[in-house]
Amino acid sequence: MYRLYWSPGSAAMAPHAVLEEIGAPYILERIDLSPGVPRSPDYLKLNPNGKVPTLVVDGVVDESQVIYESAAICMYLADRHPEARLAPAVDDPLRGAYYQWMAYLASTLQPAYLLYYYPERHTIDEAQTPAIQARATDELMIIWDRINQALAAGPYLLGERFSACDIYMQMLATWQDPVPQLYARCHNVKRCVGLVGARPAIHRMLVQHDAAA
Ligand SMILES: N[C@@H](CCC(=O)N[C@@H](CS)C(=O)NCC(=O)O)C(=O)O
């Protein structure tokens, strides 16, 4: 049994979608991320960063295993359930590109969103926060333009092969506040996100996050 600690519209969306895709039993535990609400000591024991998502896997070597970091959870689940075909096998020629895109999305694109959403963490001068957000938006559009180019052949990040990379990208594309012009400008991204969002499992996740089109 899996237990996913989540919050609507957060970085828990991708692991939640992967759980839906693989069809394994899981339960959701909601974490209140409202400003000023501290994380409980129990949650901080699971994830000392106090962020979501966190996955608890029961029954691994007689005790529960805890994993945090959204991309790590997605890759762990995809490998644990190969029948869902969300990740190319280790000896598949596409495995390298799969790692590349998961790492790029999580370590290049996602941090630019965090810069936008938490500008106060990047300055001690409150007056600087609009400039930080503007810079984050510029950076986001540069990165999305690169992804859009890479998707030209597509329709997925691995070409014809749908994978957890597309789920991760779809999650980040739903965070539209800093980049409202994303789909108008990046048609290949829009096409890929449309295909991913049309999958019944992804749609079920989006409904729970109040993010269905
Ligand atoms: N690198 C982490 C980032 C997670 C993250 O920043 N989650 C946000 C929600 S999208 C969060 O928990 N924010 C609350 C906070 O930072 O206090 C991951 O990918 O899991």
PDB file of all heavy atoms in Angstrom, residues 29-49:
ATOM      1  N   GLU A  29      -2.975  11.663   1.905  1.00  0.00           N
ATOM      2  CA  GLU A  29      -2.978  12.402   3.185  1.00  0.00           C
ATOM      3  C   GLU A  29      -2.713  13.860   2.841  1.00  0.00           C
ATOM      4  O   GLU A  29      -1.630  14.178   2.320  1.00  0.00           O
ATOM      5  CB  GLU A  29      -1.865  11.901   4.115  1.00  0.00           C
ATOM      6  CG  GLU A  29      -1.951  10.443   4.477  1.00  0.00           C
ATOM      7  CD  GLU A  29      -2.826  10.199   5.703  1.00  0.00           C
ATOM      8  OE1 GLU A  29      -3.400  11.164   6.236  1.00  0.00           O
ATOM      9  OE2 GLU A  29      -2.927   9.016   6.096  1.00  0.00           O
ATOM     10  N   ARG A  30      -3.681  14.710   3.106  1.00  0.00           N
ATOM     11  CA  ARG A  30      -3.535  16.111   2.692  1.00  0.00           C
ATOM     12  C   ARG A  30      -2.724  16.925   3.703  1.00  0.00           C
ATOM     13  O   ARG A  30      -2.943  16.826   4.910  1.00  0.00           O
ATOM     14  CB  ARG A  30      -4.923  16.735   2.520  1.00  0.00           C
ATOM     15  CG  ARG A  30      -4.861  18.095   1.891  1.00  0.00           C
ATOM     16  CD  ARG A  30      -6.233  18.498   1.415  1.00  0.00           C
ATOM     17  NE  ARG A  30      -6.236  19.872   0.970  1.00  0.00           N
ATOM     18  CZ  ARG A  30      -7.190  20.428   0.267  1.00  0.00           C
ATOM     19  NH1 ARG A  30      -8.243  19.700  -0.094  1.00  0.00           N
ATOM     20  NH2 ARG A  30      -7.127  21.684  -0.092  1.00  0.00           N
ATOM     21  N   ILE A  31      -1.818  17.734   3.189  1.00  0.00           N
ATOM     22  CA  ILE A  31      -0.997  18.638   4.012  1.00  0.00           C
ATOM     23  C   ILE A  31      -1.425  20.066   3.709  1.00  0.00           C
ATOM     24  O   ILE A  31      -1.548  20.451   2.541  1.00  0.00           O
ATOM     25  CB  ILE A  31       0.510  18.453   3.683  1.00  0.00           C
ATOM     26  CG1 ILE A  31       0.971  17.026   3.983  1.00  0.00           C
ATOM     27  CG2 ILE A  31       1.361  19.463   4.444  1.00  0.00           C
ATOM     28  CD1 ILE A  31       0.913  16.620   5.445  1.00  0.00           C
ATOM     29  N   ASP A  32      -1.665  20.838   4.762  1.00  0.00           N
ATOM     30  CA  ASP A  32      -2.072  22.232   4.596  1.00  0.00           C
ATOM     31  C   ASP A  32      -0.829  23.094   4.373  1.00  0.00           C
ATOM     32  O   ASP A  32       0.003  23.238   5.269  1.00  0.00           O
ATOM     33  CB  ASP A  32      -2.821  22.686   5.858  1.00  0.00           C
ATOM     34  CG  ASP A  32      -3.416  24.075   5.690  1.00  0.00           C
ATOM     35  OD1 ASP A  32      -3.134  24.733   4.665  1.00  0.00           O
ATOM     36  OD2 ASP A  32      -4.158  24.499   6.595  1.00  0.00           O
ATOM     37  N   LEU A  33      -0.725  23.646   3.161  1.00  0.00           N
ATOM     38  CA  LEU A  33       0.453  24.474   2.831  1.00  0.00           C
ATOM     39  C   LEU A  33       0.168  25.964   2.976  1.00  0.00           C
ATOM     40  O   LEU A  33       0.961  26.796   2.518  1.00  0.00           O
ATOM     41  CB  LEU A  33       0.895  24.199   1.391  1.00  0.00           C
ATOM     42  CG  LEU A  33       1.488  22.832   1.071  1.00  0.00           C
ATOM     43  CD1 LEU A  33       1.969  22.790  -0.378  1.00  0.00           C
ATOM     44  CD2 LEU A  33       2.628  22.477   2.016  1.00  0.00           C
ATOM     45  N   SER A  34      -0.974  26.318   3.595  1.00  0.00           N
ATOM     46  CA  SER A  34      -1.316  27.745   3.729  1.00  0.00           C
ATOM     47  C   SER A  34      -0.193  28.479   4.453  1.00  0.00           C
ATOM     48  O   SER A  34       0.411  27.928   5.396  1.00  0.00           O
ATOM     49  CB  SER A  34      -2.604  27.928   4.536  1.00  0.00           C
ATOM     50  OG  SER A  34      -3.618  27.134   4.022  1.00  0.00           O
ATOM     51  N   PRO A  35       0.077  29.742   4.026  1.00  0.00           N
ATOM     52  CA  PRO A  35       1.127  30.512   4.695  1.00  0.00           C
ATOM     53  C   PRO A  35       0.864  30.591   6.198  1.00  0.00           C
ATOM     54  O   PRO A  35      -0.274  30.771   6.629  1.00  0.00           O
ATOM     55  CB  PRO A  35       1.011  31.899   4.052  1.00  0.00           C
ATOM     56  CG  PRO A  35       0.308  31.673   2.755  1.00  0.00           C
ATOM     57  CD  PRO A  35      -0.574  30.470   2.943  1.00  0.00           C
ATOM     58  N   GLY A  36       1.901  30.412   6.971  1.00  0.00           N
ATOM     59  CA  GLY A  36       1.772  30.533   8.426  1.00  0.00           C
ATOM     60  C   GLY A  36       1.356  29.246   9.119  1.00  0.00           C
ATOM     61  O   GLY A  36       1.380  29.173  10.345  1.00  0.00           O
ATOM     62  N   VAL A  37       0.973  28.224   8.348  1.00  0.00           N
ATOM     63  CA  VAL A  37       0.602  26.946   8.972  1.00  0.00           C
ATOM     64  C   VAL A  37       1.854  26.063   9.033  1.00  0.00           C
ATOM     65  O   VAL A  37       2.393  25.678   7.989  1.00  0.00           O
ATOM     66  CB  VAL A  37      -0.504  26.214   8.167  1.00  0.00           C
ATOM     67  CG1 VAL A  37      -0.815  24.857   8.792  1.00  0.00           C
ATOM     68  CG2 VAL A  37      -1.752  27.078   8.085  1.00  0.00           C
ATOM     69  N   PRO A  38       2.340  25.776  10.261  1.00  0.00           N
ATOM     70  CA  PRO A  38       3.559  24.964  10.350  1.00  0.00           C
ATOM     71  C   PRO A  38       3.271  23.491  10.051  1.00  0.00           C
ATOM     72  O   PRO A  38       2.153  23.023  10.235  1.00  0.00           O
ATOM     73  CB  PRO A  38       3.988  25.143  11.815  1.00  0.00           C
ATOM     74  CG  PRO A  38       2.732  25.495  12.547  1.00  0.00           C
ATOM     75  CD  PRO A  38       1.777  26.141  11.572  1.00  0.00           C
ATOM     76  N   ARG A  39       4.272  22.783   9.575  1.00  0.00           N
ATOM     77  CA  ARG A  39       4.117  21.329   9.391  1.00  0.00           C
ATOM     78  C   ARG A  39       4.159  20.660  10.761  1.00  0.00           C
ATOM     79  O   ARG A  39       4.883  21.111  11.656  1.00  0.00           O
ATOM     80  CB  ARG A  39       5.244  20.748   8.546  1.00  0.00           C
ATOM     81  CG  ARG A  39       5.415  21.220   7.157  1.00  0.00           C
ATOM     82  CD  ARG A  39       4.225  21.262   6.250  1.00  0.00           C
ATOM     83  NE  ARG A  39       4.601  22.149   5.155  1.00  0.00           N
ATOM     84  CZ  ARG A  39       4.223  23.417   5.047  1.00  0.00           C
ATOM     85  NH1 ARG A  39       3.361  23.936   5.899  1.00  0.00           N
ATOM     86  NH2 ARG A  39       4.669  24.179   4.063  1.00  0.00           N
ATOM     87  N   SER A  40       3.424  19.576  10.893  1.00  0.00           N
ATOM     88  CA  SER A  40       3.400  18.864  12.170  1.00  0.00           C
ATOM     89  C   SER A  40       4.743  18.158  12.394  1.00  0.00           C
ATOM     90  O   SER A  40       5.430  17.798  11.417  1.00  0.00           O
ATOM     91  CB  SER A  40       2.282  17.814  12.165  1.00  0.00           C
ATOM     92  OG  SER A  40       2.628  16.778  11.263  1.00  0.00           O
ATOM     93  N   PRO A  41       5.099  17.941  13.665  1.00  0.00           N
ATOM     94  CA  PRO A  41       6.343  17.185  13.932  1.00  0.00           C
ATOM     95  C   PRO A  41       6.315  15.812  13.266  1.00  0.00           C
ATOM     96  O   PRO A  41       7.347  15.329  12.781  1.00  0.00           O
ATOM     97  CB  PRO A  41       6.351  17.069  15.463  1.00  0.00           C
ATOM     98  CG  PRO A  41       5.527  18.227  15.939  1.00  0.00           C
ATOM     99  CD  PRO A  41       4.463  18.446  14.889  1.00  0.00           C
ATOM    100  N   ASP A  42       5.135  15.186  13.222  1.00  0.00           N
ATOM    101  CA  ASP A  42       5.051  13.864  12.592  1.00  0.00           C
ATOM    102  C   ASP A  42       5.409  13.946  11.107  1.00  0.00           C
ATOM    103  O   ASP A  42       6.107  13.079  10.566  1.00  0.00           O
ATOM    104  CB  ASP A  42       3.638  13.279  12.737  1.00  0.00           C
ATOM    105  CG  ASP A  42       3.431  12.704  14.122  1.00  0.00           C
ATOM    106  OD1 ASP A  42       4.432  12.570  14.875  1.00  0.00           O
ATOM    107  OD2 ASP A  42       2.271  12.415  14.463  1.00  0.00           O
ATOM    108  N   TYR A  43       4.911  15.005  10.428  1.00  0.00           N
ATOM    109  CA  TYR A  43       5.225  15.123   8.998  1.00  0.00           C
ATOM    110  C   TYR A  43       6.704  15.435   8.797  1.00  0.00           C
ATOM    111  O   TYR A  43       7.342  14.890   7.882  1.00  0.00           O
ATOM    112  CB  TYR A  43       4.352  16.190   8.319  1.00  0.00           C
ATOM    113  CG  TYR A  43       4.549  16.174   6.823  1.00  0.00           C
ATOM    114  CD1 TYR A  43       4.198  15.051   6.071  1.00  0.00           C
ATOM    115  CD2 TYR A  43       5.133  17.247   6.141  1.00  0.00           C
ATOM    116  CE1 TYR A  43       4.409  14.996   4.699  1.00  0.00           C
ATOM    117  CE2 TYR A  43       5.349  17.201   4.770  1.00  0.00           C
ATOM    118  CZ  TYR A  43       4.978  16.071   4.051  1.00  0.00           C
ATOM    119  OH  TYR A  43       5.193  16.018   2.693  1.00  0.00           O
ATOM    120  N   LEU A  44       7.250  16.277   9.665  1.00  0.00           N
ATOM    121  CA  LEU A  44       8.674  16.618   9.524  1.00  0.00           C
ATOM    122  C   LEU A  44       9.583  15.416   9.759  1.00  0.00           C
ATOM    123  O   LEU A  44      10.711  15.379   9.259  1.00  0.00           O
ATOM    124  CB  LEU A  44       9.034  17.766  10.481  1.00  0.00           C
ATOM    125  CG  LEU A  44       8.429  19.118  10.081  1.00  0.00           C
ATOM    126  CD1 LEU A  44       8.676  20.155  11.159  1.00  0.00           C
ATOM    127  CD2 LEU A  44       8.992  19.598   8.742  1.00  0.00           C
ATOM    128  N   LYS A  45       9.070  14.425  10.511  1.00  0.00           N
ATOM    129  CA  LYS A  45       9.861  13.192  10.669  1.00  0.00           C
ATOM    130  C   LYS A  45       9.951  12.453   9.326  1.00  0.00           C
ATOM    131  O   LYS A  45      10.956  11.821   9.009  1.00  0.00           O
ATOM    132  CB  LYS A  45       9.199  12.279  11.699  1.00  0.00           C
ATOM    133  CG  LYS A  45       9.664  12.563  13.116  1.00  0.00           C
ATOM    134  CD  LYS A  45       9.150  11.488  14.053  1.00  0.00           C
ATOM    135  CE  LYS A  45       8.860  12.116  15.400  1.00  0.00           C
ATOM    136  NZ  LYS A  45       7.774  11.506  16.141  1.00  0.00           N
ATOM    137  N   LEU A  46       8.856  12.533   8.538  1.00  0.00           N
ATOM    138  CA  LEU A  46       8.857  11.874   7.227  1.00  0.00           C
ATOM    139  C   LEU A  46       9.680  12.671   6.221  1.00  0.00           C
ATOM    140  O   LEU A  46      10.447  12.107   5.442  1.00  0.00           O
ATOM    141  CB  LEU A  46       7.422  11.724   6.700  1.00  0.00           C
ATOM    142  CG  LEU A  46       6.468  10.859   7.512  1.00  0.00           C
ATOM    143  CD1 LEU A  46       5.065  10.939   6.918  1.00  0.00           C
ATOM    144  CD2 LEU A  46       6.956   9.415   7.519  1.00  0.00           C
ATOM    145  N   ASN A  47       9.449  13.980   6.211  1.00  0.00           N
ATOM    146  CA  ASN A  47      10.120  14.844   5.238  1.00  0.00           C
ATOM    147  C   ASN A  47      10.638  16.078   5.962  1.00  0.00           C
ATOM    148  O   ASN A  47       9.893  17.030   6.196  1.00  0.00           O
ATOM    149  CB  ASN A  47       9.135  15.235   4.121  1.00  0.00           C
ATOM    150  CG  ASN A  47       9.804  16.053   3.020  1.00  0.00           C
ATOM    151  OD1 ASN A  47      10.857  16.648   3.234  1.00  0.00           O
ATOM    152  ND2 ASN A  47       9.182  16.088   1.855  1.00  0.00           N
ATOM    153  N   PRO A  48      11.905  16.065   6.335  1.00  0.00           N
ATOM    154  CA  PRO A  48      12.457  17.172   7.132  1.00  0.00           C
ATOM    155  C   PRO A  48      12.429  18.511   6.402  1.00  0.00           C
ATOM    156  O   PRO A  48      12.582  19.556   7.031  1.00  0.00           O
ATOM    157  CB  PRO A  48      13.888  16.729   7.436  1.00  0.00           C
ATOM    158  CG  PRO A  48      14.145  15.548   6.604  1.00  0.00           C
ATOM    159  CD  PRO A  48      12.868  14.996   6.080  1.00  0.00           C
ATOM    160  N   ASN A  49      12.222  18.484   5.082  1.00  0.00           N
ATOM    161  CA  ASN A  49      12.117  19.745   4.333  1.00  0.00           C
ATOM    162  C   ASN A  49      10.742  20.388   4.501  1.00  0.00           C
ATOM    163  O   ASN A  49      10.545  21.544   4.128  1.00  0.00           O
ATOM    164  CB  ASN A  49      12.375  19.497   2.847  1.00  0.00           C
ATOM    165  CG  ASN A  49      13.756  18.903   2.615  1.00  0.00           C
ATOM    166  OD1 ASN A  49      14.742  19.479   3.043  1.00  0.00           O
ATOM    167  ND2 ASN A  49      13.818  17.747   1.976  1.00  0.00           N
TER     168      ASN A  49
END
